[in-house]
Amino acid sequence: MGYEPVPLGVLSLVIFVNAYGTTFLFSFIGFMVVDLGAAKNKNESGYVAGYVTSAFFVGRMVSSIFWGYMADKYGRRPVLLIALLSIAIGGVAFGASPTFEIALLVRFLAGLFNGIIAVSKAMVHELTTGEHKAMGMSAVTAMWSLGLILGPAISGWTSSIPSDSLPMESMNETLNVTTGHEAVFSSDTFLEKNPYLLPSLITSALGTIGFVFAFLLLPETLNRGKQGEYVVVASNKEEISTSTEKVT
């Protein structure tokens, strides 16, 4: 066939999860830094939020070469599985961060343990043959773009759900009119206290799903890459030998 549809599909899912986990906080981080007390008001929230968003990429920059080395030495699967596990754990940890410093550290560690980008490109090469490599790269690029779109969109919507969908004051007024009881439903619920936990839990769930699919259905492709290199080298040697014979 020239490509393996199931592993390539799982790899595309991994890329989607990675993009989602990279950008899910973009829509609410400005509000979060104000709530955490790192920014005094919305006028300061922009540059303070920038520290948190960039912390992920700083961590990934620091560790990219290391993860590339580990993928070439021990295999692609372990690197991808570690990264997906970091998304699953880091998502909920970020949403539950009680302070700005912890949120900053969580995002830095999420980037530090994320080696998906370079490894996934290598796997596309190893899961496809020459005439299908462009199709494989197009598939993972499309899923990356989809993750970049849905991450901020879904997180922005779900971060507003606790306040929008739980009209506690209205429920209390209705109950008081009909039964004469005082307020029963408290607006001080868990989600009200942690409005950024729900979008973070969704990110963690996607990371867990990606981990399970990758663990069960994604094969190790490191040896395929080495065999491919051997074939290319052998082919070049044959061409050089043939050219030498023609010259003589």
Side-chain angles (χ1 to χ4, degrees):
M1 181 180 291
Y3 66 96
E4 300 179 47
V6 173
L8 193 59
V10 173
L11 185 60
S12 298
L13 172 64
V14 170
I15 293 295
F16 168 79
V17 171
N18 185 43
Y20 191 103
T22 301
T23 61
F24 80 98
L25 70 160
F26 287 2
S27 57
F28 63 77
I29 186 59
F31 300 100
M32 185 176 183
V33 295
V34 174
D35 290 345
L36 291 176
K40 296 179 181 179
N41 51 58
K42 64 180 181 180
N43 295 326
E44 295 182 359
S45 64
Y47 72 85
V48 176
Y51 292 128
V52 181
T53 54
S54 62
F56 175 87
F57 299 100
V58 172
R60 197 165 71 179
M61 177 190 69
V62 170
S63 63
S64 290
I65 296 176
F66 169 78
W67 289 119
Y69 168 79
M70 296 297 287
D72 286 339
K73 186 173 179 63
Y74 298 106
R76 320 309 193 193
R77 268 173 53 91
V79 174
L80 289 185
L81 292 175
I82 290 172
L84 289 167
L85 195 60
S86 73
I87 293 173
I89 297 174
V92 65
F94 180 77
S97 298
T99 65
F100 170 77
E101 290 77 14
I102 292 178
L104 191 68
L105 178 62
V106 168
R107 287 304 289 172
F108 173 76
L109 293 176
L112 195 68
F113 285 93
N114 191 309
I116 290 179
I117 293 297
V119 175
S120 62
K121 291 180 180 179
M123 291 191 74
V124 170
H125 171 76
E126 293 158 357
L127 288 170
T128 57
T129 56
E131 65 271 19
H132 293 97
K133 292 188 186 300
M135 182 274 295
M137 286 301 301
S138 299
V140 297
T141 301
M143 294 302 287
W144 171 261
S145 300
L146 183 63
L148 295 180
I149 294 170
L150 294 183
I154 294 177
S155 294
W157 173 59
T158 53
S159 64
S160 65
I161 283 180
S163 58
D164 290 346
S165 61
L166 301 174
M168 299 301 180
E169 292 183 3
S170 176
M171 295 169 65
N172 285 324
E173 290 177 0
T174 302
L175 185 63
N176 189 25
V177 169
T178 56
T179 66
H181 287 80
E182 295 294 331
V184 173
F185 297 101
S186 173
S187 61
D188 195 23
T189 63
F190 182 75
L191 286 179
E192 287 284 329
K193 291 180 179 179
N194 303 274
Y196 313 112
L197 184 59
L198 183 57
S200 301
L201 285 173
I202 294 174
T203 303
S204 293
L206 289 173
T208 303
I209 292 171
F211 179 88
V212 172
F213 273 83
F215 183 81
L216 296 176
L217 300 174
L218 196 61
E220 179 56 66
T221 61
L222 176 59
N223 292 332
R224 302 182 191 183
K226 291 180 178 179
Q227 291 171 0
E229 291 174 2
Y230 175 78
V231 171
V232 171
V233 172
S235 177
N236 290 338
K237 286 183 178 179
E238 291 177 1
E239 292 177 2
I240 293 171
S241 177
T242 303
S243 300
T244 304
E245 290 176 0
K246 288 182 179 180
V247 170
T248 56

